[in-house]
Amino acid sequence: MYNRDRAPKQKSDDMIFGIRAIIEAINSGKEIDKVLLQKGERGDLFKEAFDLIRQHEIPFQYVPVEKLNRITRKNHQGVIAFVSPVTFYDIENYLPTLFEEGKNPVILVLDQVTDVRNFGAIVRTAECAGVDAVLVPDKGAARINADAVKTSAGALHLVPVCRTKDLKKSVLYLQQSGLKIIAATEKSSENYIKTDYSGPVAIVMGSEEFGIDRQILDLADDRVQIPILGKIQSLNVSVAAGLLVYEVVRQRAEASS
């Protein structure tokens, strides 16, 4: 069973530690995924780093020094940053370019999907199915690291990943931009193949543990479910995502034939 208090092993090239090193990394334009800050840390240099993190809107979290020490035994000076192997996009800037290119957008929204390997597998399938972008929250999402890239078979370098501070607000933006919001939930009675995916769509997937946040679920134009015929009452989220995005492919292929 996964222990939430046990920090996963990190590869040294995924991390930057030390206040000056992190300040230099941010100023040089490195894509920082997340920063861990030691609770109670003070000092002018720490404040300079913190102000820079806030200025660049980099996700951060205050943690006990013990957590930082579990991640690295080196002199981290109360700050550890995780470097992202991909560049993140802003959905409000990216979506208009899809319409300008004449595309019929398919956006995959992942709410509370935190497992790195599931995330990588989902992005791999998304790339194969021609999904235009994956939208994730900056908190409560799988960290995009070397394992995620490997599991995606490199698809994370091909599919734009859009990150947002407010997932509900971003889903509402998609809806107001003309995308049909389709939420996958076992609470629905509508078979996923019965809904219409022919126009611009955003497919929302939740985690196996928590599902989709209620506020986002309430925004959905359609709620769909994948029939479960066996005794296990849920599919792996990457398998479920694959079924839905390939239903988009199937319906659009039939419409164009």
Side-chain angles (χ1 to χ4, degrees), residues 145-182:
N145 56 17
D147 283 341
V149 173
K150 182 178 180 181
T151 309
S152 78
L156 273 164
H157 294 307
L158 300 172
V159 179
V161 178
C162 300
R163 191 164 65 173
T164 176
K165 284 187 172 182
D166 189 333
L167 191 61
K168 177 188 173 184
K169 181 180 176 183
S170 294
V171 170
L172 183 59
Y173 165 76
L174 293 175
Q175 190 174 51
Q176 292 172 343
S177 299
L179 275 70
K180 182 180 184 180
I181 310 301
I182 301 172

PDB file of all heavy atoms in Angstrom, residues 145-182:
ATOM      1  N   ASN A 145       7.603  13.817 -14.559  1.00  0.00           N
ATOM      2  CA  ASN A 145       9.023  13.548 -14.379  1.00  0.00           C
ATOM      3  C   ASN A 145       9.487  12.521 -15.410  1.00  0.00           C
ATOM      4  O   ASN A 145       8.768  12.217 -16.367  1.00  0.00           O
ATOM      5  CB  ASN A 145       9.288  13.069 -12.947  1.00  0.00           C
ATOM      6  CG  ASN A 145       8.446  11.842 -12.587  1.00  0.00           C
ATOM      7  OD1 ASN A 145       7.901  11.162 -13.460  1.00  0.00           O
ATOM      8  ND2 ASN A 145       8.320  11.559 -11.304  1.00  0.00           N
ATOM      9  N   ALA A 146      10.696  12.008 -15.194  1.00  0.00           N
ATOM     10  CA  ALA A 146      11.256  11.058 -16.162  1.00  0.00           C
ATOM     11  C   ALA A 146      10.414   9.797 -16.288  1.00  0.00           C
ATOM     12  O   ALA A 146      10.267   9.236 -17.385  1.00  0.00           O
ATOM     13  CB  ALA A 146      12.686  10.703 -15.757  1.00  0.00           C
ATOM     14  N   ASP A 147       9.829   9.337 -15.170  1.00  0.00           N
ATOM     15  CA  ASP A 147       8.976   8.141 -15.222  1.00  0.00           C
ATOM     16  C   ASP A 147       7.731   8.389 -16.066  1.00  0.00           C
ATOM     17  O   ASP A 147       7.288   7.520 -16.820  1.00  0.00           O
ATOM     18  CB  ASP A 147       8.556   7.729 -13.812  1.00  0.00           C
ATOM     19  CG  ASP A 147       9.664   7.014 -13.063  1.00  0.00           C
ATOM     20  OD1 ASP A 147      10.599   6.530 -13.726  1.00  0.00           O
ATOM     21  OD2 ASP A 147       9.595   6.951 -11.824  1.00  0.00           O
ATOM     22  N   ALA A 148       7.144   9.585 -15.925  1.00  0.00           N
ATOM     23  CA  ALA A 148       5.955   9.913 -16.716  1.00  0.00           C
ATOM     24  C   ALA A 148       6.294   9.951 -18.201  1.00  0.00           C
ATOM     25  O   ALA A 148       5.534   9.445 -19.035  1.00  0.00           O
ATOM     26  CB  ALA A 148       5.380  11.260 -16.268  1.00  0.00           C
ATOM     27  N   VAL A 149       7.422  10.557 -18.530  1.00  0.00           N
ATOM     28  CA  VAL A 149       7.841  10.635 -19.936  1.00  0.00           C
ATOM     29  C   VAL A 149       8.089   9.242 -20.498  1.00  0.00           C
ATOM     30  O   VAL A 149       7.672   8.917 -21.618  1.00  0.00           O
ATOM     31  CB  VAL A 149       9.099  11.512 -20.079  1.00  0.00           C
ATOM     32  CG1 VAL A 149       9.636  11.458 -21.509  1.00  0.00           C
ATOM     33  CG2 VAL A 149       8.797  12.955 -19.695  1.00  0.00           C
ATOM     34  N   LYS A 150       8.753   8.396 -19.706  1.00  0.00           N
ATOM     35  CA  LYS A 150       9.047   7.027 -20.163  1.00  0.00           C
ATOM     36  C   LYS A 150       7.753   6.242 -20.380  1.00  0.00           C
ATOM     37  O   LYS A 150       7.590   5.563 -21.403  1.00  0.00           O
ATOM     38  CB  LYS A 150       9.922   6.314 -19.128  1.00  0.00           C
ATOM     39  CG  LYS A 150      10.312   4.902 -19.532  1.00  0.00           C
ATOM     40  CD  LYS A 150      11.209   4.266 -18.498  1.00  0.00           C
ATOM     41  CE  LYS A 150      11.592   2.842 -18.900  1.00  0.00           C
ATOM     42  NZ  LYS A 150      12.458   2.197 -17.874  1.00  0.00           N
ATOM     43  N   THR A 151       6.819   6.333 -19.419  1.00  0.00           N
ATOM     44  CA  THR A 151       5.561   5.604 -19.550  1.00  0.00           C
ATOM     45  C   THR A 151       4.749   6.108 -20.739  1.00  0.00           C
ATOM     46  O   THR A 151       4.011   5.342 -21.365  1.00  0.00           O
ATOM     47  CB  THR A 151       4.725   5.732 -18.260  1.00  0.00           C
ATOM     48  OG1 THR A 151       5.536   5.384 -17.141  1.00  0.00           O
ATOM     49  CG2 THR A 151       3.513   4.815 -18.291  1.00  0.00           C
ATOM     50  N   SER A 152       4.905   7.383 -21.052  1.00  0.00           N
ATOM     51  CA  SER A 152       4.171   7.942 -22.196  1.00  0.00           C
ATOM     52  C   SER A 152       4.817   7.591 -23.525  1.00  0.00           C
ATOM     53  O   SER A 152       4.288   7.954 -24.583  1.00  0.00           O
ATOM     54  CB  SER A 152       4.088   9.472 -22.063  1.00  0.00           C
ATOM     55  OG  SER A 152       5.305  10.091 -22.441  1.00  0.00           O
ATOM     56  N   ALA A 153       5.967   6.888 -23.487  1.00  0.00           N
ATOM     57  CA  ALA A 153       6.719   6.545 -24.702  1.00  0.00           C
ATOM     58  C   ALA A 153       7.099   7.805 -25.489  1.00  0.00           C
ATOM     59  O   ALA A 153       7.142   7.792 -26.716  1.00  0.00           O
ATOM     60  CB  ALA A 153       5.923   5.575 -25.584  1.00  0.00           C
ATOM     61  N   GLY A 154       7.362   8.877 -24.758  1.00  0.00           N
ATOM     62  CA  GLY A 154       7.759  10.124 -25.410  1.00  0.00           C
ATOM     63  C   GLY A 154       6.609  11.018 -25.825  1.00  0.00           C
ATOM     64  O   GLY A 154       6.826  12.127 -26.310  1.00  0.00           O
ATOM     65  N   ALA A 155       5.364  10.556 -25.613  1.00  0.00           N
ATOM     66  CA  ALA A 155       4.206  11.346 -26.044  1.00  0.00           C
ATOM     67  C   ALA A 155       4.111  12.678 -25.312  1.00  0.00           C
ATOM     68  O   ALA A 155       3.532  13.638 -25.825  1.00  0.00           O
ATOM     69  CB  ALA A 155       2.922  10.548 -25.835  1.00  0.00           C
ATOM     70  N   LEU A 156       4.687  12.764 -24.115  1.00  0.00           N
ATOM     71  CA  LEU A 156       4.651  14.022 -23.367  1.00  0.00           C
ATOM     72  C   LEU A 156       5.440  15.131 -24.060  1.00  0.00           C
ATOM     73  O   LEU A 156       5.266  16.301 -23.750  1.00  0.00           O
ATOM     74  CB  LEU A 156       5.173  13.820 -21.937  1.00  0.00           C
ATOM     75  CG  LEU A 156       4.105  13.367 -20.937  1.00  0.00           C
ATOM     76  CD1 LEU A 156       4.727  12.813 -19.671  1.00  0.00           C
ATOM     77  CD2 LEU A 156       3.166  14.512 -20.626  1.00  0.00           C
ATOM     78  N   HIS A 157       6.305  14.740 -24.994  1.00  0.00           N
ATOM     79  CA  HIS A 157       7.015  15.748 -25.788  1.00  0.00           C
ATOM     80  C   HIS A 157       6.206  16.156 -27.022  1.00  0.00           C
ATOM     81  O   HIS A 157       6.621  17.048 -27.760  1.00  0.00           O
ATOM     82  CB  HIS A 157       8.383  15.214 -26.219  1.00  0.00           C
ATOM     83  CG  HIS A 157       9.321  14.979 -25.069  1.00  0.00           C
ATOM     84  ND1 HIS A 157       9.615  15.948 -24.140  1.00  0.00           N
ATOM     85  CD2 HIS A 157      10.022  13.875 -24.708  1.00  0.00           C
ATOM     86  CE1 HIS A 157      10.465  15.457 -23.242  1.00  0.00           C
ATOM     87  NE2 HIS A 157      10.718  14.208 -23.570  1.00  0.00           N
ATOM     88  N   LEU A 158       5.080  15.497 -27.233  1.00  0.00           N
ATOM     89  CA  LEU A 158       4.282  15.746 -28.437  1.00  0.00           C
ATOM     90  C   LEU A 158       2.901  16.337 -28.134  1.00  0.00           C
ATOM     91  O   LEU A 158       2.376  17.108 -28.940  1.00  0.00           O
ATOM     92  CB  LEU A 158       4.099  14.430 -29.215  1.00  0.00           C
ATOM     93  CG  LEU A 158       5.390  13.749 -29.693  1.00  0.00           C
ATOM     94  CD1 LEU A 158       5.078  12.370 -30.266  1.00  0.00           C
ATOM     95  CD2 LEU A 158       6.103  14.600 -30.728  1.00  0.00           C
ATOM     96  N   VAL A 159       2.316  15.950 -27.018  1.00  0.00           N
ATOM     97  CA  VAL A 159       0.982  16.441 -26.660  1.00  0.00           C
ATOM     98  C   VAL A 159       1.122  17.634 -25.714  1.00  0.00           C
ATOM     99  O   VAL A 159       1.735  17.507 -24.656  1.00  0.00           O
ATOM    100  CB  VAL A 159       0.145  15.341 -25.969  1.00  0.00           C
ATOM    101  CG1 VAL A 159      -1.231  15.887 -25.574  1.00  0.00           C
ATOM    102  CG2 VAL A 159      -0.007  14.135 -26.869  1.00  0.00           C
ATOM    103  N   PRO A 160       0.579  18.790 -26.076  1.00  0.00           N
ATOM    104  CA  PRO A 160       0.654  19.945 -25.178  1.00  0.00           C
ATOM    105  C   PRO A 160      -0.044  19.662 -23.848  1.00  0.00           C
ATOM    106  O   PRO A 160      -1.173  19.175 -23.824  1.00  0.00           O
ATOM    107  CB  PRO A 160      -0.069  21.050 -25.957  1.00  0.00           C
ATOM    108  CG  PRO A 160       0.049  20.643 -27.390  1.00  0.00           C
ATOM    109  CD  PRO A 160      -0.027  19.142 -27.374  1.00  0.00           C
ATOM    110  N   VAL A 161       0.653  19.951 -22.767  1.00  0.00           N
ATOM    111  CA  VAL A 161       0.065  19.835 -21.434  1.00  0.00           C
ATOM    112  C   VAL A 161      -0.220  21.243 -20.931  1.00  0.00           C
ATOM    113  O   VAL A 161       0.685  22.064 -20.787  1.00  0.00           O
ATOM    114  CB  VAL A 161       1.010  19.104 -20.456  1.00  0.00           C
ATOM    115  CG1 VAL A 161       0.382  19.057 -19.057  1.00  0.00           C
ATOM    116  CG2 VAL A 161       1.314  17.700 -20.951  1.00  0.00           C
ATOM    117  N   CYS A 162      -1.495  21.515 -20.695  1.00  0.00           N
ATOM    118  CA  CYS A 162      -1.920  22.825 -20.181  1.00  0.00           C
ATOM    119  C   CYS A 162      -2.135  22.697 -18.682  1.00  0.00           C
ATOM    120  O   CYS A 162      -2.789  21.763 -18.224  1.00  0.00           O
ATOM    121  CB  CYS A 162      -3.211  23.279 -20.851  1.00  0.00           C
ATOM    122  SG  CYS A 162      -3.075  23.462 -22.648  1.00  0.00           S
ATOM    123  N   ARG A 163      -1.590  23.628 -17.945  1.00  0.00           N
ATOM    124  CA  ARG A 163      -1.711  23.582 -16.493  1.00  0.00           C
ATOM    125  C   ARG A 163      -2.464  24.820 -16.008  1.00  0.00           C
ATOM    126  O   ARG A 163      -2.264  25.909 -16.527  1.00  0.00           O
ATOM    127  CB  ARG A 163      -0.322  23.508 -15.853  1.00  0.00           C
ATOM    128  CG  ARG A 163      -0.342  23.194 -14.377  1.00  0.00           C
ATOM    129  CD  ARG A 163       1.009  22.746 -13.868  1.00  0.00           C
ATOM    130  NE  ARG A 163       2.008  23.796 -13.944  1.00  0.00           N
ATOM    131  CZ  ARG A 163       3.226  23.691 -13.436  1.00  0.00           C
ATOM    132  NH1 ARG A 163       3.601  22.567 -12.858  1.00  0.00           N
ATOM    133  NH2 ARG A 163       4.089  24.681 -13.538  1.00  0.00           N
ATOM    134  N   THR A 164      -3.331  24.624 -15.007  1.00  0.00           N
ATOM    135  CA  THR A 164      -4.165  25.714 -14.529  1.00  0.00           C
ATOM    136  C   THR A 164      -4.220  25.742 -13.009  1.00  0.00           C
ATOM    137  O   THR A 164      -4.173  24.689 -12.355  1.00  0.00           O
ATOM    138  CB  THR A 164      -5.598  25.586 -15.092  1.00  0.00           C
ATOM    139  OG1 THR A 164      -6.408  26.619 -14.534  1.00  0.00           O
ATOM    140  CG2 THR A 164      -6.222  24.240 -14.741  1.00  0.00           C
ATOM    141  N   LYS A 165      -4.362  26.948 -12.457  1.00  0.00           N
ATOM    142  CA  LYS A 165      -4.529  27.084 -11.009  1.00  0.00           C
ATOM    143  C   LYS A 165      -5.948  26.729 -10.581  1.00  0.00           C
ATOM    144  O   LYS A 165      -6.172  26.314  -9.454  1.00  0.00           O
ATOM    145  CB  LYS A 165      -4.219  28.523 -10.574  1.00  0.00           C
ATOM    146  CG  LYS A 165      -2.753  28.861 -10.526  1.00  0.00           C
ATOM    147  CD  LYS A 165      -2.551  30.236  -9.913  1.00  0.00           C
ATOM    148  CE  LYS A 165      -1.069  30.484  -9.676  1.00  0.00           C
ATOM    149  NZ  LYS A 165      -0.844  31.801  -9.025  1.00  0.00           N
ATOM    150  N   ASP A 166      -6.903  26.909 -11.462  1.00  0.00           N
ATOM    151  CA  ASP A 166      -8.313  26.698 -11.130  1.00  0.00           C
ATOM    152  C   ASP A 166      -8.948  25.845 -12.222  1.00  0.00           C
ATOM    153  O   ASP A 166      -9.358  26.345 -13.267  1.00  0.00           O
ATOM    154  CB  ASP A 166      -9.022  28.056 -11.023  1.00  0.00           C
ATOM    155  CG  ASP A 166     -10.435  27.953 -10.472  1.00  0.00           C
ATOM    156  OD1 ASP A 166     -11.069  26.893 -10.647  1.00  0.00           O
ATOM    157  OD2 ASP A 166     -10.911  28.935  -9.877  1.00  0.00           O
ATOM    158  N   LEU A 167      -9.033  24.543 -11.968  1.00  0.00           N
ATOM    159  CA  LEU A 167      -9.516  23.617 -12.994  1.00  0.00           C
ATOM    160  C   LEU A 167     -10.981  23.885 -13.325  1.00  0.00           C
ATOM    161  O   LEU A 167     -11.373  23.834 -14.498  1.00  0.00           O
ATOM    162  CB  LEU A 167      -9.330  22.170 -12.532  1.00  0.00           C
ATOM    163  CG  LEU A 167      -9.543  21.105 -13.607  1.00  0.00           C
ATOM    164  CD1 LEU A 167      -8.555  21.260 -14.750  1.00  0.00           C
ATOM    165  CD2 LEU A 167      -9.438  19.708 -13.004  1.00  0.00           C
ATOM    166  N   LYS A 168     -11.786  24.192 -12.334  1.00  0.00           N
ATOM    167  CA  LYS A 168     -13.194  24.475 -12.589  1.00  0.00           C
ATOM    168  C   LYS A 168     -13.328  25.680 -13.528  1.00  0.00           C
ATOM    169  O   LYS A 168     -14.115  25.666 -14.484  1.00  0.00           O
ATOM    170  CB  LYS A 168     -13.929  24.744 -11.281  1.00  0.00           C
ATOM    171  CG  LYS A 168     -15.393  25.111 -11.487  1.00  0.00           C
ATOM    172  CD  LYS A 168     -16.053  25.570 -10.196  1.00  0.00           C
ATOM    173  CE  LYS A 168     -17.453  26.096 -10.464  1.00  0.00           C
ATOM    174  NZ  LYS A 168     -18.086  26.643  -9.252  1.00  0.00           N
ATOM    175  N   LYS A 169     -12.579  26.726 -13.258  1.00  0.00           N
ATOM    176  CA  LYS A 169     -12.634  27.928 -14.086  1.00  0.00           C
ATOM    177  C   LYS A 169     -12.203  27.622 -15.517  1.00  0.00           C
ATOM    178  O   LYS A 169     -12.802  28.112 -16.485  1.00  0.00           O
ATOM    179  CB  LYS A 169     -11.731  29.006 -13.488  1.00  0.00           C
ATOM    180  CG  LYS A 169     -11.731  30.313 -14.254  1.00  0.00           C
ATOM    181  CD  LYS A 169     -10.802  31.331 -13.589  1.00  0.00           C
ATOM    182  CE  LYS A 169     -10.714  32.625 -14.410  1.00  0.00           C
ATOM    183  NZ  LYS A 169      -9.759  33.574 -13.781  1.00  0.00           N
ATOM    184  N   SER A 170     -11.183  26.778 -15.664  1.00  0.00           N
ATOM    185  CA  SER A 170     -10.701  26.431 -17.004  1.00  0.00           C
ATOM    186  C   SER A 170     -11.700  25.572 -17.758  1.00  0.00           C
ATOM    187  O   SER A 170     -11.877  25.722 -18.971  1.00  0.00           O
ATOM    188  CB  SER A 170      -9.347  25.719 -16.911  1.00  0.00           C
ATOM    189  OG  SER A 170      -8.358  26.598 -16.422  1.00  0.00           O
ATOM    190  N   VAL A 171     -12.380  24.652 -17.049  1.00  0.00           N
ATOM    191  CA  VAL A 171     -13.417  23.843 -17.693  1.00  0.00           C
ATOM    192  C   VAL A 171     -14.580  24.736 -18.123  1.00  0.00           C
ATOM    193  O   VAL A 171     -15.144  24.569 -19.218  1.00  0.00           O
ATOM    194  CB  VAL A 171     -13.902  22.717 -16.754  1.00  0.00           C
ATOM    195  CG1 VAL A 171     -15.135  22.019 -17.317  1.00  0.00           C
ATOM    196  CG2 VAL A 171     -12.779  21.702 -16.530  1.00  0.00           C
ATOM    197  N   LEU A 172     -14.931  25.703 -17.293  1.00  0.00           N
ATOM    198  CA  LEU A 172     -15.983  26.651 -17.652  1.00  0.00           C
ATOM    199  C   LEU A 172     -15.581  27.462 -18.881  1.00  0.00           C
ATOM    200  O   LEU A 172     -16.398  27.716 -19.776  1.00  0.00           O
ATOM    201  CB  LEU A 172     -16.266  27.583 -16.480  1.00  0.00           C
ATOM    202  CG  LEU A 172     -17.406  28.601 -16.662  1.00  0.00           C
ATOM    203  CD1 LEU A 172     -18.726  27.897 -16.950  1.00  0.00           C
ATOM    204  CD2 LEU A 172     -17.522  29.491 -15.439  1.00  0.00           C
ATOM    205  N   TYR A 173     -14.306  27.829 -18.954  1.00  0.00           N
ATOM    206  CA  TYR A 173     -13.799  28.539 -20.137  1.00  0.00           C
ATOM    207  C   TYR A 173     -13.951  27.682 -21.391  1.00  0.00           C
ATOM    208  O   TYR A 173     -14.370  28.172 -22.453  1.00  0.00           O
ATOM    209  CB  TYR A 173     -12.324  28.921 -19.936  1.00  0.00           C
ATOM    210  CG  TYR A 173     -11.638  29.324 -21.212  1.00  0.00           C
ATOM    211  CD1 TYR A 173     -11.861  30.576 -21.790  1.00  0.00           C
ATOM    212  CD2 TYR A 173     -10.770  28.444 -21.869  1.00  0.00           C
ATOM    213  CE1 TYR A 173     -11.245  30.939 -22.972  1.00  0.00           C
ATOM    214  CE2 TYR A 173     -10.153  28.802 -23.053  1.00  0.00           C
ATOM    215  CZ  TYR A 173     -10.391  30.052 -23.596  1.00  0.00           C
ATOM    216  OH  TYR A 173      -9.790  30.402 -24.784  1.00  0.00           O
ATOM    217  N   LEU A 174     -13.625  26.398 -21.296  1.00  0.00           N
ATOM    218  CA  LEU A 174     -13.779  25.499 -22.442  1.00  0.00           C
ATOM    219  C   LEU A 174     -15.240  25.446 -22.878  1.00  0.00           C
ATOM    220  O   LEU A 174     -15.555  25.492 -24.073  1.00  0.00           O
ATOM    221  CB  LEU A 174     -13.290  24.096 -22.078  1.00  0.00           C
ATOM    222  CG  LEU A 174     -11.790  23.927 -21.813  1.00  0.00           C
ATOM    223  CD1 LEU A 174     -11.489  22.506 -21.351  1.00  0.00           C
ATOM    224  CD2 LEU A 174     -10.967  24.265 -23.043  1.00  0.00           C
ATOM    225  N   GLN A 175     -16.118  25.352 -21.908  1.00  0.00           N
ATOM    226  CA  GLN A 175     -17.552  25.284 -22.205  1.00  0.00           C
ATOM    227  C   GLN A 175     -18.032  26.564 -22.883  1.00  0.00           C
ATOM    228  O   GLN A 175     -18.761  26.524 -23.880  1.00  0.00           O
ATOM    229  CB  GLN A 175     -18.320  25.044 -20.916  1.00  0.00           C
ATOM    230  CG  GLN A 175     -19.794  24.724 -21.090  1.00  0.00           C
ATOM    231  CD  GLN A 175     -20.417  24.372 -19.761  1.00  0.00           C
ATOM    232  OE1 GLN A 175     -20.282  25.117 -18.785  1.00  0.00           O
ATOM    233  NE2 GLN A 175     -21.084  23.224 -19.694  1.00  0.00           N
ATOM    234  N   GLN A 176     -17.613  27.696 -22.363  1.00  0.00           N
ATOM    235  CA  GLN A 176     -18.019  28.984 -22.933  1.00  0.00           C
ATOM    236  C   GLN A 176     -17.397  29.218 -24.311  1.00  0.00           C
ATOM    237  O   GLN A 176     -17.896  30.046 -25.080  1.00  0.00           O
ATOM    238  CB  GLN A 176     -17.645  30.107 -21.977  1.00  0.00           C
ATOM    239  CG  GLN A 176     -18.454  30.097 -20.683  1.00  0.00           C
ATOM    240  CD  GLN A 176     -17.962  31.089 -19.655  1.00  0.00           C
ATOM    241  OE1 GLN A 176     -16.834  31.585 -19.737  1.00  0.00           O
ATOM    242  NE2 GLN A 176     -18.804  31.409 -18.682  1.00  0.00           N
ATOM    243  N   SER A 177     -16.325  28.476 -24.606  1.00  0.00           N
ATOM    244  CA  SER A 177     -15.674  28.584 -25.916  1.00  0.00           C
ATOM    245  C   SER A 177     -16.293  27.638 -26.945  1.00  0.00           C
ATOM    246  O   SER A 177     -15.818  27.565 -28.082  1.00  0.00           O
ATOM    247  CB  SER A 177     -14.177  28.285 -25.779  1.00  0.00           C
ATOM    248  OG  SER A 177     -13.554  29.213 -24.915  1.00  0.00           O
ATOM    249  N   GLY A 178     -17.333  26.908 -26.537  1.00  0.00           N
ATOM    250  CA  GLY A 178     -18.047  26.062 -27.484  1.00  0.00           C
ATOM    251  C   GLY A 178     -17.752  24.584 -27.386  1.00  0.00           C
ATOM    252  O   GLY A 178     -18.236  23.796 -28.218  1.00  0.00           O
ATOM    253  N   LEU A 179     -16.964  24.161 -26.381  1.00  0.00           N
ATOM    254  CA  LEU A 179     -16.681  22.737 -26.223  1.00  0.00           C
ATOM    255  C   LEU A 179     -17.756  22.080 -25.368  1.00  0.00           C
ATOM    256  O   LEU A 179     -18.207  22.636 -24.365  1.00  0.00           O
ATOM    257  CB  LEU A 179     -15.312  22.508 -25.580  1.00  0.00           C
ATOM    258  CG  LEU A 179     -14.106  22.499 -26.537  1.00  0.00           C
ATOM    259  CD1 LEU A 179     -13.835  23.882 -27.097  1.00  0.00           C
ATOM    260  CD2 LEU A 179     -12.863  21.937 -25.852  1.00  0.00           C
ATOM    261  N   LYS A 180     -18.164  20.900 -25.785  1.00  0.00           N
ATOM    262  CA  LYS A 180     -19.102  20.106 -24.999  1.00  0.00           C
ATOM    263  C   LYS A 180     -18.322  19.399 -23.895  1.00  0.00           C
ATOM    264  O   LYS A 180     -17.333  18.708 -24.169  1.00  0.00           O
ATOM    265  CB  LYS A 180     -19.781  19.085 -25.915  1.00  0.00           C
ATOM    266  CG  LYS A 180     -20.824  18.209 -25.250  1.00  0.00           C
ATOM    267  CD  LYS A 180     -21.401  17.258 -26.300  1.00  0.00           C
ATOM    268  CE  LYS A 180     -22.519  16.401 -25.747  1.00  0.00           C
ATOM    269  NZ  LYS A 180     -23.052  15.504 -26.795  1.00  0.00           N
ATOM    270  N   ILE A 181     -18.738  19.570 -22.649  1.00  0.00           N
ATOM    271  CA  ILE A 181     -18.048  18.962 -21.514  1.00  0.00           C
ATOM    272  C   ILE A 181     -18.671  17.600 -21.224  1.00  0.00           C
ATOM    273  O   ILE A 181     -19.854  17.502 -20.886  1.00  0.00           O
ATOM    274  CB  ILE A 181     -18.123  19.857 -20.259  1.00  0.00           C
ATOM    275  CG1 ILE A 181     -17.692  21.295 -20.585  1.00  0.00           C
ATOM    276  CG2 ILE A 181     -17.284  19.263 -19.135  1.00  0.00           C
ATOM    277  CD1 ILE A 181     -16.287  21.432 -21.120  1.00  0.00           C
ATOM    278  N   ILE A 182     -17.869  16.555 -21.380  1.00  0.00           N
ATOM    279  CA  ILE A 182     -18.332  15.186 -21.170  1.00  0.00           C
ATOM    280  C   ILE A 182     -17.563  14.594 -19.995  1.00  0.00           C
ATOM    281  O   ILE A 182     -16.337  14.457 -20.052  1.00  0.00           O
ATOM    282  CB  ILE A 182     -18.130  14.327 -22.431  1.00  0.00           C
ATOM    283  CG1 ILE A 182     -18.898  14.933 -23.617  1.00  0.00           C
ATOM    284  CG2 ILE A 182     -18.573  12.882 -22.173  1.00  0.00           C
ATOM    285  CD1 ILE A 182     -18.616  14.263 -24.942  1.00  0.00           C
TER     286      ILE A 182
END
